[in-house]
Amino acid sequence: MRLLLMSLFAALSLAPAAQAADDAPPTQVEAWPLTQTGAVGSSIFLQDRAAARATDALLARFGGKPPEGLIGWIVVPNGEDQLVRFLLGDPAAPRPGYDILVDKNGRAGAVIEATGAALPDDQAVRYFARNTAASGIGALRCAARYNAVVLDDTDSDGWLVWLLASTTDANKVPMGGHYRFHVSADGRTLEKREQLSGGCLDLDRRQAQQGGQTVGLMTNVIVAPQPLEVHVFLSLLNRLPIYVAAGDKLWSVQGALIREVDTSKKR
């Protein structure tokens, strides 16, 4: 697993990883049809990968350090590709600084100085939605740094935002601590926060190898009766099968493909 967005402007630095002792048990979250879950998880992966590849390209352009004045980034769909826009100025009125197009295969193009004094409204609201979600994170903190993904909410005119627990340990897979947020169309109002795990759980990706073969990682879910989009994302990110115990069933997550495992067969 590649190191996740290490620069200060490319990930959200939050309070130290901890869970409040009096934190109430997580409530059940919305679970989508399996095909939709797979598609959303894939979109999360593509956006997260684009931001990471663009960050690498930007840092390489500026000698390993972020250019002065950066306040964040957004990812804008561009056909099958992703346009990563690094932003400058006042967080209340962000303006474009540098653009990097990442193609569908994850290859980052040239770093281009953006034109225009202001960020278009339909792009600025993505940045506002990201910040709104970050300000509304719950007590469960399974990582010191979180990566953000912003997607259109196909069930409303608003946004879906994920804060994804990140790591700089290539062997660590953060299964817990991820959040899903519903944010208003203007990016300013947090409408719902969903905690996508019951607690923190870090797995060692080396445990997915047994006898020289890849068998996958195992986890459980208590907030939904099935795997969630974060499991699809983590499977794609780590190129590993993930087996999820949820709703009295065992599920296999291999990228966007989610299937129930028949446990009745004797082995």
Side-chain angles (χ1 to χ4, degrees):
M1 183 175 62
R2 59 96 170 96
L3 303 183
L4 297 178
L5 301 185
M6 296 180 62
S7 57
L8 290 175
F9 58 89
L12 301 169
S13 296
L14 300 172
Q19 182 175 6
D22 59 352
D23 194 22
T27 58
Q28 293 290 293
V29 303
E30 183 179 2
W32 299 313
L34 296 181
T35 53
Q36 181 180 354
T37 299
V40 172
S42 298
S43 295
I44 292 172
F45 166 72
L46 291 174
Q47 188 175 127
D48 180 77
R49 182 181 68 177
R53 299 287 171 81
T55 297
D56 291 343
L58 189 72
L59 293 177
R61 163 79 177 272
F62 288 94
K65 295 182 179 180
E68 186 176 352
L70 287 177
I71 60 170
W73 50 264
I74 58 170
V75 181
V76 182
N78 186 14
E80 293 185 321
D81 304 329
Q82 312 262 352
L83 176 63
V84 183
R85 311 204 77 184
F86 293 95
L87 308 178
L88 304 171
D90 184 346
R95 56 186 176 85
Y98 304 93
D99 289 342
I100 302 173
L101 188 66
V102 180
D103 70 20
K104 63 180 181 180
N105 296 313
R107 293 187 294 260
V111 178
I112 300 173
E113 291 194 27
T115 58
L119 197 64
D121 289 344
D122 62 338
Q123 296 182 13
V125 293
R126 292 178 178 269
Y127 178 70
F128 299 147
R130 176 180 185 265
N131 290 347
T132 296
S135 67
I137 192 170
L140 183 68
R141 308 287 178 85
C142 298
R145 297 169 66 77
Y146 276 69
N147 295 334
V149 167
V150 181
L151 297 177
D152 291 311
D153 185 350
T154 57
D155 294 326
S156 76
D157 60 355
W159 304 96
L160 291 174
V161 183
W162 286 263
L163 295 186
L164 305 166
S166 69
T167 179
T168 57
D169 184 339
N171 289 315
K172 183 185 291 185
V173 180
M175 285 289 178
H178 311 293
Y179 286 88
R180 180 204 298 156
F181 301 84
H182 298 252
V183 180
S184 61
D186 65 1
R188 307 281 189 175
T189 303
L190 177 59
E191 297 177 339
K192 183 167 67 172
R193 178 184 68 216
E194 295 177 286
Q195 181 180 306
L196 300 182
S197 67
C200 299
L201 176 63
D202 291 331
L203 298 182
D204 190 329
R205 73 187 316 275
R206 291 169 294 191
Q207 295 176 343
Q209 305 294 326
Q210 293 184 12
Q213 295 185 336
T214 300
V215 296
L217 295 174
M218 178 74 183
T219 189
N220 70 309
V221 173
I222 63 172
V223 297
Q226 64 176 57
L228 298 168
E229 66 275 12
V230 291
H231 301 109
V232 174
F233 161 70
L234 290 170
S235 175
L236 290 167
L237 178 64
N238 293 281
R239 300 181 183 181
L240 290 173
I242 295 177
Y243 293 92
V244 178
D248 297 323
K249 297 178 180 179
L250 180 64
W251 305 84
S252 166
V253 180
Q254 300 191 49
L257 179 61
I258 305 172
R259 294 183 295 185
E260 183 181 346
V261 177
D262 185 356
T263 59
S264 65
K265 297 179 181 179
K266 295 182 179 181
R267 298 177 184 269

